Amino acid sequence: DKVLIKAAINLVKTTSMEIGVRIEIIHPDTGMHDHVTSAYMVLIAVDTDMKPIKIPPMKLRTPLQKKRAEAAEKRIEKRKKF
């Protein structure tokens, strides 16, 4: 079996971004893909002193990018409630 790792930037904020990661197994005998796991990572941009720095905004060009950004915003709001 082979492992396929896919990643996409879902949302860019002022100093952070959310990355979606999906891991699949590819079965060489059939070519079929099986989803193994998914995760959302939030990364913070920092300078050499480990202080957050601004990053350029992401231009949402496709319907999929817009959908991912909207879903990421909802996850942010959910996390704020904890």
Side-chain angles (χ1 to χ4, degrees):
D1 293 348
K2 292 184 180 181
V3 175
L4 175 64
I5 301 171
K6 298 178 182 181
I9 299 172
N10 293 335
L11 180 68
V12 175
K13 301 295 268 182
T14 307
T15 61
S16 64
M17 66 180 71
E18 181 191 272
I19 312 285
V21 180
R22 178 181 171 97
I23 299 174
E24 300 175 356
I25 286 186
I26 305 170
H27 303 283
D29 52 329
T30 64
M32 298 293 292
H33 293 219
D34 283 330
H35 178 249
V36 176
T37 192
S38 295
Y40 298 107
M41 303 184 320
V42 177
L43 306 177
I44 309 297
V46 295
D47 63 15
T48 55
D49 296 321
M50 299 304 289
K51 294 183 181 174
I53 57 172
K54 290 185 179 182
I55 52 178
M58 179 178 171
K59 294 179 184 171
L60 304 174
R61 295 190 171 104
T62 69
L64 180 58
Q65 287 174 328
K66 291 174 185 170
K67 180 180 174 182
R68 286 178 174 162
E70 289 169 8
E73 289 283 7
K74 288 179 184 176
R75 282 188 291 276
I76 289 169
E77 290 306 312
K78 251 182 156 173
R79 284 193 296 266
K80 286 180 181 179
K81 292 179 182 179
F82 282 104

